[in-house]
Amino acid sequence: QLSTSQPSPERVPSAEEQEWAGPEALCPGWLEDEAPDGEVPGDSGDPDCATHAYERLQSALCQEGLPPTLDCSSEPRTGFGPLDMTVCILGSPTPFLPVLLEGGTRCPGAMVLCLSPTWASRVPSETAPGAWSLLLSRGVSFKVGGHSALETFVPPRRANYVTGTFAPGDPECSWVGKLARDLDCPTGGSVPLAHRLEDTLVARWVLAARANLPVPPTLAFVLGARGDLPTEPVAPGVRLVRLEDPQGQQSLVQEEVGAFLGGTAMEPYSQVGTGGVGGVGGTEGHWGAWRGTGVH
């Protein structure tokens, strides 16, 4: 449960503080060559990382009819201790905006959005040998009514829970994954887990073979070894057909597809047709998903 205690009383920002001061306010010292203290990913010096993410946040807030973020960074927030709750969101603000807004309503100030690796540092954990603590020197905190503020924290604020944009393809994925690795607090995911969950075939195989959960009938043509898809144990509802040369095994493909579409497992799906069968997908190593069931 999130703590509702406030480390310091709220104040009304001045007119100057309500204006976003640009990249220097988001990443102070970004013009300097010297790297910040602590373990930070090597590609963390680009100020555009924070600038673009901040602009996306303002756009999202505007679309929701919410006030823009106030720049309160000139007066650091102090008084945070180990018992103060800090839920840290790393990376893109868009996917987590509903969580940030709801968290700001239920526990004002506890939800902190980190838009750049320069806003955080990793230090060896004092409670878990071999793990790391994530400390936030800067962040966007959320309060009641959708209000948000860009703040600095002195001393840095320790994260008690961490999640973020781990999905491959997100520009923040690289530094988010590095900051969230081997932390001494619970995390809401990881880059390897996101890779597995976004691979429909792997996700279905894990659910069926490891968790004994029912999955939609699936026929998958796999190119090469695909070591992440073992032959044992067998995954109920998922049939894997390994192809060495798809161009030379067209008859096998046609036989497998015909047997699959005509089998009893597909009888409940009245909308199935052969129009969903496509060519072999290049680098992914399996057929493109079709309708959530059917051929991969």
Side-chain angles (χ1 to χ4, degrees), residues 20 22-31 43-57 91-93 114-119 171-172 175:
W20 175 44
E24 178 61 23
L26 294 176
C27 293
W30 65 271
L31 293 175
D43 57 351
S44 63
D46 183 7
D48 291 340
C49 168
T51 303
H52 295 161
Y54 187 90
E55 291 172 350
R56 291 200 302 270
L57 173 61
S92 175
C114 177
L115 298 177
S116 169
T118 61
W119 294 13
E172 299 89 356
W175 66 264

Side-chain angles (χ1 to χ4, degrees), residues 189-259:
S190 65
V191 173
L193 179 61
H195 276 283
R196 282 188 169 270
L197 293 179
E198 289 204 350
D199 190 317
T200 304
L201 181 54
V202 172
R204 290 188 184 183
W205 186 90
V206 170
L207 291 174
R210 299 295 186 185
N212 296 320
L213 295 176
V215 298
T218 303
L219 170 64
F221 295 92
V222 180
L223 297 178
R226 281 301 297 267
D228 56 342
L229 291 169
T231 56
E232 297 292 339
V234 176
V238 179
R239 174 166 174 74
L240 300 180
V241 179
R242 299 181 182 272
L243 302 177
E244 297 299 332
D245 181 9
Q247 300 300 326
Q249 296 180 284
Q250 294 297 328
S251 60
L252 173 62
V253 171
Q254 293 177 1
E255 291 175 4
E256 291 287 350
V257 171

Side-chain angles (χ1 to χ4, degrees), residues 204 261 266 271-277 288-296:
R204 290 188 184 183
L261 296 178
M266 292 300 292
Q271 299 300 319
V272 172
T274 56
V277 180
W290 179 59
R291 287 186 181 271
T293 64
V295 180
H296 289 253

Side-chain angles (χ1 to χ4, degrees), residues 34-129:
E34 189 172 334
D37 294 336
E39 180 184 304
V40 178
D43 57 351
S44 63
D46 183 7
D48 291 340
C49 168
T51 303
H52 295 161
Y54 187 90
E55 291 172 350
R56 291 200 302 270
L57 173 61
Q58 303 316 301
S59 177
L61 292 174
C62 180
Q63 292 177 11
E64 295 294 330
L66 299 173
T69 301
L70 303 181
D71 181 13
C72 304
S73 59
S74 60
E75 296 186 15
R77 294 286 301 275
T78 61
F80 290 100
L83 298 181
D84 291 295
M85 179 60 66
T86 300
V87 179
C88 176
I89 307 293
L90 298 170
S92 175
T94 308
F96 293 95
L97 185 59
V99 177
L100 292 165
L101 295 175
E102 181 65 17
T105 298
R106 293 182 177 271
C107 189
M111 306 294 298
V112 180
L113 175 64
C114 177
L115 298 177
S116 169
T118 61
W119 294 13
S121 60
R122 287 158 53 92
V123 298
S125 174
E126 297 179 356
T127 59

